[in-house]
Amino acid sequence: MADPLLFRPIRIRDVTLKNRVVVAPMHQYSGVKGFATDWHLMNAGRYAAGGAGLVIMESTKVERRGCGTVGDLGLWDDVFVPGLKRCTDFIRARNAVPGIQLGHSGRKARRARPWEGGGPLQPGPDIDDWDAWELVSASGLASPESDPLPRALTTAEIPALVERWGQAARRAHEAGFDVLDIHAAHGYLLHQFLSPYANRRNDEYGGSDLNRMRIVIEVVESVRAYWPASKPLFLRLSVEDDSGWGPAGSVELARLVKPKGVDVIDCSSGGMRGAPVTSTGPVTYGYQVPYAERLRRDADILSMAVGLIVHADQAEAILQEGRADLIALARELLYNPNWPMDAAQKLGVDAQFGSVPSPQAYWLAKRAQSVKSVVPSTYGRSLKASS
Ligand SMILES: Cc1cc2nc3c(=O)[nH]c(=O)nc-3n(C[C@H](O)[C@H](O)[C@H](O)COP(=O)(O)O)c2cc1C
């Protein structure tokens, strides 16, 4: 295919991505008291070396209370900046753009890691700041009902919380990130405010659609006050959940935040009660693409599609059909961190493997030129199938 869109650079504000392949934020549950470790360097590094244009590091918490697990990354203090700077330096040196997601788990905080059951934690010697790790939310409601009850944030507490998002954005800039993604999806704190199911407040942060959106708008304003105008800002939404928040509200919110400096809506879904949802059928290839298409069309804003985008031609078709501007992958990159390099080969670009570092590119280009009968392992199931 001549000049596939997936590998055409895109410029957003002053940042140019060399292609449209984005590493979706993926929690590693591997932080130590909020600090990034060698694991984060290795993990972000391998995606950068695999050819992605933008590597968005995981939901990194704007305050201690917001940590979902003991392994969350933090940016609620300047002490966390050097560990993340190490990661951004590495990503940039591999010719990718470093991005980060900022988040707050709200009532979904203080839980075991998924592979440890994911349930609410109990106080114990492993957690030395149990009281500081408080569950807070829009309202004092748990979901499921068997979960510990969060405390509803008072109206007076909200400005300080909003300011923490701004301060975390400042630190993200100092750590060298060039793209910032605000996490307002998946049933976490900001989504708890957006949702009429989780938000039963009767102050200016609850009730009407606009009131429930207010904290997200204020977070965007706070982040933009500290995040340079030259750098792109993304907003991740559960465009639809199973609890009363949907595409119409998402479009309205996108229209409100675009003039305040949001450049891209990162279109996910679900999470309020657990399962992902889709208005268009079962969870299958590209199940959330309709949301990216809707936001792009109705809110006139760049959109990022995510969710079971697995194949190169699938990703390319989404772009060609004008359904999204960026393609994000998560689990397929766990399977194959070199997916962008592989996709470039399959779409017929980058014969010299220029999208990956020289220690890889040199040998792969040489093999491709000298042994024409060999095709990569990702092209078929066996020697028989791939020949
Ligand atoms: C291990 C793992 C960690 C994740 N962590 C985050 C996260 O920190 N923030 C977020 O918004 N989504 C997170 N997600 C969701 C992904 O970003 C993505 O939206 C979802 O996995 C669907 O894309 P996929 O089908 O390509 O995996 C995570 C997914 C996985 C598999």
Side-chain angles (χ1 to χ4, degrees):
M1 182 185 294
D3 194 17
L5 271 178
L6 193 60
F7 290 94
R8 209 178 281 174
I10 181 170
R11 182 185 160 108
I12 310 173
R13 294 188 184 248
D14 289 352
V15 174
T16 300
L17 311 181
K18 69 183 175 193
N19 59 47
R20 318 280 174 113
V21 185
V22 177
V23 180
M26 273 189 281
H27 213 303
Q28 298 301 301
Y29 309 95
S30 303
V32 176
K33 292 191 181 295
F35 288 93
T37 66
D38 286 354
W39 176 270
H40 298 94
L41 177 67
M42 181 284 296
N43 188 57
R46 67 180 173 158
Y47 298 134
L54 169 61
V55 179
I56 304 181
M57 289 183 68
E58 68 196 75
S59 174
T60 300
K61 300 306 172 329
V62 302
E63 65 168 14
R64 169 66 182 120
R65 291 185 297 195
C67 290
T69 71
V70 292
D72 283 36
L73 289 183
L75 259 180
W76 62 84
D77 194 287
D78 292 352
V79 293
F80 299 117
V81 169
L84 291 169
K85 176 88 173 43
R86 220 175 138 223
C87 299
T88 62
D89 285 346
F90 191 91
I91 294 168
R92 193 173 285 106
R94 259 75 246 166
N95 196 24
V97 170
I100 188 166
Q101 187 182 56
L102 294 182
H104 190 305
S105 299
R107 70 184 185 185
K108 287 173 80 169
R110 221 171 60 191
R111 301 186 81 86
R113 293 176 171 96
W115 55 87
E116 294 163 347
L121 289 173
Q122 302 300 327
D126 293 350
I127 303 167
D128 51 22
D129 61 348
W130 180 262
D131 291 333
W133 199 359
E134 188 193 14
L135 303 189
V136 292
S137 186
S139 297
L141 296 167
S143 176
E145 283 174 12
S146 54
D147 269 10
L149 273 184
R151 182 177 66 77
L153 286 159
T154 66
T155 314
E157 284 177 302
I158 291 182
L161 177 66
V162 167
E163 172 68 12
R164 274 174 216 133
W165 285 82
Q167 291 295 333
R170 170 185 60 78
R171 295 183 189 109
H173 168 60
E174 286 166 14
F177 291 101
D178 283 339
V179 168
L180 197 150
D181 187 38
I182 295 173
H183 198 348
H186 302 169
Y188 295 111
L189 184 67
L190 296 183
H191 187 188
Q192 289 160 26
F193 273 84
L194 291 174
S195 158
Y197 170 76
N199 181 346
R200 311 283 170 83
R201 302 175 72 92
N202 50 24
D203 63 358
E204 63 263 40
Y205 294 97
S208 69
D209 286 353
L210 185 60
N211 277 359
R212 283 184 282 102
M213 293 176 195
R214 190 176 308 281
I215 193 169
V216 177
I217 296 167
E218 290 181 357
V219 163
V220 167
E221 288 169 342
S222 176
V223 164
R224 261 291 167 220
Y226 294 98
W227 184 245
S230 57
K231 296 190 177 187
L233 179 60
F234 293 20
L235 176 66
R236 176 166 269 205
L237 296 177
S238 281
V239 174
E240 182 166 39
D241 65 20
D242 56 358
S243 311
W245 176 258
S250 296
V251 167
E252 195 186 336
L253 178 57
R255 286 197 187 125
L256 290 169
V257 293
K258 184 179 171 187
K260 295 187 180 292
V262 170
D263 303 296
V264 176
I265 303 293
D266 170 4
C267 297
S268 191
S269 71
M272 185 48 70
R273 299 192 211 197
V277 292
T278 168
S279 57
T280 54
V283 173
T284 182
Y285 285 120
Y287 64 103
Q288 293 173 147
V289 174
Y291 301 130
E293 184 176 11
R294 171 93 185 256
L295 264 292
R296 188 175 193 265
R297 186 188 62 222
D298 292 355
D300 189 25
I301 193 165
L302 297 177
S303 76
M304 182 158 83
V306 67
L308 288 180
I309 301 170
V310 171
H311 297 292
D313 57 352
Q314 178 197 5
E316 177 63 15
I318 294 166
L319 297 176
Q320 291 284 351
E321 290 161 11
R323 305 180 75 194
D325 300 280
L326 294 167
I327 300 292
L329 294 88
R331 290 164 295 180
E332 192 56 23
L333 283 161
L334 296 180
Y335 186 75
N336 176 14
N338 290 329
W339 190 93
M341 175 188 84
D342 187 59
Q345 298 306 306
K346 287 173 176 164
L347 294 177
V349 289
D350 199 18
Q352 297 304 310
F353 292 83
S355 66
V356 298
S358 303
Q360 294 159 243
Y362 176 80
W363 302 104
L364 291 171
K366 205 169 154 92
R367 181 179 77 167
Q369 277 153 19
S370 60
V371 203
K372 300 275 184 217
S373 58
V374 167
V375 297
S377 60
T378 52
Y379 280 52
R381 287 174 186 274
S382 69
L383 273 182
K384 213 170 167 186
S386 63
S387 59

